[in-house]
Amino acid sequence: MDCKLSITCGTRDGKSYLKDVFVSPPFRVLPVGQLKKDGGAYLMITSSSPGMLSGDHYYLNILIEENARLQLLSQSYQRLFNMDDHATQKLILHMQANTSFSYVPHPIVPHENSTFIGSNAIYLDRHCDFMMGEIITCGRKNLGEVFKYNHFQNKIEVFFNENLILKDNILLQPQITPLDSVGGCLEEFTHQGTLIYLNTKNIPVTDSIEEVFEMLNTEADIEFGISALQKDGFVIRVLGFGGEQIFDCFRKIQDKLWCLNTGSKIP
């Protein structure tokens, strides 16, 4: 099934809002930030489907107009069900000048025999800041489905002034390359997370990297690394044993950087 979602976020009197939206089943978009005082728009993407099924193709288009700020929230864990074929998701995000976007969704749970292919194209204008996270679990661990999925791939490309400034490609094929073996990319860990932050404001992120390192360094039972990017940004990789722990870590980092860019205090 082809499923489409289109969002335009605008600004009026210094406050961001949902200017236009189009959805087809199973999507819905709900404003959830009415009590927030930072002037940003907070939207939750919900779905009437329990997860992605074989043959599902999601198309998401988001436009953030000049001076607007948008933080997307997910409804729950994203399940990728048993599939005869595959499912896909394509996100295209356009950020006009002086905008902010942040999206740290709940973890993804790939079921046995699932195949998922995702792509994300991000287009930044001047004075933008962008954050996106992704957490991949081993599957339904309590049911014995540990790395039983077939194929998981998600690619992200970020462009600024029509130039590619970041490309990240996650490709996991546990039936071909065991992920939990000695020398495998996860070894004994069962969950992995990636968090990407970029800004085109010419604001150095050295201090932020140090602060994020200190935050993550207090967490037990994880391994992590932070890589500075050629542009003003960084990528965080985290390995752990639970999706909720990594999700909580990413949300804390998100809150810190979101408040930093608004000049408000962390609640």
Side-chain angles (χ1 to χ4, degrees):
M1 181 171 67
D2 288 352
C3 313
K4 298 181 179 180
L5 178 149
S6 179
I7 291 173
T8 300
C9 180
T11 183
R12 181 173 54 214
D13 299 327
K15 294 184 178 181
S16 302
Y17 70 103
L18 178 59
K19 183 176 181 179
D20 190 32
V21 62
F22 170 82
V23 297
S24 64
F27 290 126
R28 290 185 65 193
V29 177
L30 303 176
V32 293
Q34 292 88 338
L35 300 180
K36 302 286 187 178
K37 299 184 184 300
D38 59 21
Y42 292 77
L43 305 176
M44 177 177 288
I45 298 177
T46 69
S47 174
S48 59
S49 171
M52 295 192 76
L53 305 171
S54 182
D56 279 352
H57 303 288
Y58 288 2
Y59 301 94
L60 292 76
N61 285 276
I62 300 173
L63 169 63
I64 307 178
E65 295 184 343
E66 189 168 355
N67 299 321
R69 307 183 77 246
L70 172 61
Q71 188 172 133
L72 280 186
L73 296 88
S74 60
Q75 176 184 16
S76 61
Y77 280 52
Q78 172 70 296
R79 296 188 176 274
L80 308 175
F81 286 105
N82 186 296
M83 300 178 186
D84 296 326
D85 193 0
H86 69 283
T88 66
Q89 177 172 294
K90 183 176 183 179
L91 167 67
I92 299 176
L93 168 66
H94 289 272
M95 299 179 64
Q96 294 183 359
N98 195 35
T99 57
S100 298
F101 175 81
S102 187
Y103 184 38
V104 180
H106 285 80
I108 299 167
V109 184
H111 290 206
E112 186 173 5
N113 296 324
S114 62
T115 297
F116 172 83
I117 301 171
S119 65
N120 306 269
I122 316 299
Y123 299 91
L124 306 181
D125 206 327
R126 65 191 188 282
H127 304 302
C128 294
D129 58 272
F130 162 82
M131 175 178 285
M132 180 175 286
E134 177 182 74
I135 302 166
I136 309 165
T137 73
C138 60
R140 296 184 295 179
K141 183 165 58 174
N142 293 335
L143 297 180
E145 287 186 8
V146 177
F147 302 124
K148 294 293 184 68
Y149 56 92
N150 287 332
H151 182 107
F152 181 94
Q153 183 173 16
N154 198 22
K155 179 177 66 176
I156 179 169
E157 295 178 318
V158 183
F159 299 87
F160 176 54
N161 289 335
E162 299 183 355
N163 295 315
L164 179 66
I165 61 173
L166 172 70
K167 183 172 183 177
D168 189 61
N169 188 20
I170 299 292
L171 175 60
L172 302 173
Q173 298 173 297
Q175 307 311 311
I176 298 175
T177 304
L179 304 178
D180 53 353
S181 62
V182 175
C185 64
L186 300 187
E187 294 195 352
E188 77 272 22
F189 294 101
T190 55
H191 295 62
Q192 73 164 29
T194 300
L195 187 67
I196 296 172
Y197 173 76
L198 266 171
N199 78 67
T200 57
K201 300 178 177 181
N202 295 319
I203 299 176
V205 297
T206 304
D207 290 344
S208 295
I209 291 175
E210 293 296 330
E211 292 174 6
V212 169
F213 180 88
E214 293 300 326
M215 291 172 62
L216 293 176
N217 204 37
T218 63
E219 293 287 331
D221 301 322
I222 68 168
E223 295 287 345
F224 69 93
I226 307 175
S227 300
L229 301 174
Q230 183 177 4
K231 296 293 183 180
D232 291 312
F234 54 83
V235 176
I236 303 172
R237 308 283 193 192
V238 179
L239 299 178
F241 298 99
E244 203 66 27
Q245 180 186 19
I246 301 176
F247 180 64
D248 288 343
C249 290
F250 284 0
R251 288 296 299 271
K252 290 176 184 176
I253 297 168
Q254 178 189 48
D255 289 344
K256 184 174 186 61
L257 290 174
W258 183 261
C259 292
L260 179 67
N261 285 302
T262 60
S264 59
K265 295 182 179 179
I266 300 176

